Amino acid sequence: GGGSGDGGPYVNSSAEQQENEWRHRLDRKLGKKQYMLLSTLGLQVPRPPLHPSTPLMDALGRDPLKRFVVFGDGPSMAVRRAGSEAPAALTSKQQARVDEEAKFLAKYKVRVEEEEKYRTKIAEHLRESGDPFRPQLLTDIGLELERPPIKVDMKLVLQNDPKKRFEIVGDASTHGVRMKKTEREEERDQEELEEDWRHRLDIFLSRQPQEGLLVLRHKVKRPDALSSRVNIKRLLQFDPHQRFELTGKG
């Protein structure tokens, strides 16, 4: 299922479906090759979002169709098709390639780990500022926090966050970053803004008990950040404290 290419998003919902789709993609990537290093295969086929840390070996081992055989050890661990011949001992040329790839992967792993550490540090820094949703300039953060031992581009590191925690704002010279709100936080914000507007309408109506909605909307401004989907009629109709009574038509 899924039918997306090796790099497309995983469309299936459950962890089990995503794991099956992952194996299907791994199987296609292995294709007619005699074998592939596990580390190479893992890099070339993106993981499903619901399996951020499932070992590739476990996913292959759980294949209900028993298509894969994992062999070798350490950095030379590889996978071949079940029923295919195990490759003969590696020639020195192949071994050199394996060593080369292992070296590259070790470096790559360090980079991934360092970038994640840096993202965690930035997230903590934003949270400790008191208001993680107020943007801070990347240049300021760069001056305050110790940079990783490897060369990184902070903006790219934040944009490529697998957990999608950050929002980059501003333009090139003044790029800032803030934490992204979860859907629940966004909902809570909207609920607070609605309540704020109702409260102000209530105060206005306590002085002037009856007023047309159009006039009300003009005299008691809606909060700027309130979603445009919220209209004044619905807002008053669905007041949890039932303070308002709507009369007339339209």
Side-chain angles (χ1 to χ4, degrees):
S4 24
D6 290 336
Y10 284 82
V11 288
N12 295 321
S13 51
S14 74
E16 191 184 352
Q17 285 175 320
Q18 285 193 1
E19 190 175 304
N20 282 331
E21 169 72 13
W22 190 19
R23 276 191 289 267
H24 176 58
R25 295 181 185 198
L26 292 162
D27 183 44
R28 274 202 311 237
K29 182 56 84 175
L30 189 55
K32 294 196 167 49
K33 297 182 190 73
Q34 193 186 8
Y35 69 93
M36 266 182 96
L37 286 176
L38 269 194
S39 45
T40 308
L41 187 60
L43 270 185
Q44 292 186 3
V45 180
R47 298 175 153 275
L50 295 180
H51 288 279
S53 53
T54 302
L56 183 56
M57 204 164 80
D58 294 1
L60 294 171
R62 284 197 289 261
D63 181 27
L65 306 175
K66 309 265 182 281
R67 289 168 286 190
F68 311 101
V69 176
V70 175
F71 62 96
D73 55 29
S76 329
M77 207 176 247
V79 59
R80 62 182 165 87
R81 283 202 181 292
S84 67
E85 282 297 305
L90 299 179
T91 64
S92 57
K93 208 171 176 183
Q94 285 171 320
Q95 186 59 53
R97 224 186 73 220
V98 167
D99 294 344
E100 222 15 74
E101 274 192 18
K103 238 186 274 173
F104 164 76
L105 286 160
K107 268 191 192 158
Y108 177 78
K109 193 163 174 274
V110 167
R111 167 165 287 281
V112 168
E113 284 168 3
E114 286 298 341
E115 287 184 352
E116 185 47 39
K117 270 192 230 161
Y118 197 34
R119 278 191 284 261
T120 304
K121 240 191 236 177
I122 292 170
E124 279 168 8
H125 174 77
L126 289 170
R127 284 198 199 94
E128 284 164 7
S129 72
D131 182 1
F133 308 118
R134 187 176 58 77
Q136 290 196 31
L137 289 178
L138 296 190
T139 45
D140 291 350
I141 295 175
L143 289 173
E144 285 184 49
L145 294 183
E146 193 185 339
R147 290 185 85 79
I150 53 170
K151 196 170 187 305
V152 293
D153 176 326
M154 193 197 300
K155 180 170 163 250
L156 278 179
V157 168
L158 295 172
Q159 279 174 329
N160 295 336
D161 177 26
K163 298 175 190 160
K164 310 257 182 287
R165 289 166 290 187
F166 305 98
E167 191 180 347
I168 302 287
V169 293
D171 54 34
S173 57
T174 57
H175 270 134
V177 61
R178 62 178 167 211
M179 298 299 287
K180 236 186 210 156
K181 292 190 174 174
T182 63
E183 272 177 39
R184 185 67 202 104
E185 282 168 333
E186 285 285 3
E187 275 171 29
R188 260 204 307 269
D189 280 359
Q190 287 295 314
E191 284 164 11
E192 278 175 21
L193 290 169
E194 285 180 14
E195 194 37 52
D196 166 63
W197 197 15
R198 278 196 206 98
H199 178 65
R200 288 184 295 113
L201 287 161
D202 187 32
I203 290 172
F204 181 85
L205 286 166
S206 65
R207 295 194 294 264
Q208 196 158 336
Q210 194 164 353
E211 192 56 273
L213 289 187
L214 282 175
V215 177
L216 257 185
R217 207 174 63 195
H218 180 68
K219 291 200 170 164
V220 184
K221 287 273 185 285
R222 65 184 291 127
D224 291 338
L226 183 61
S227 161
S228 55
R229 290 195 299 274
V230 178
N231 68 41
I232 193 166
K233 186 176 170 190
R234 262 187 75 81
L235 181 87
L236 299 176
Q237 259 173 340
F238 293 101
D239 174 29
H241 307 295
Q242 300 181 334
R243 290 164 287 190
F244 309 99
E245 189 185 343
L246 296 180
T247 56
K249 286 192 171 56

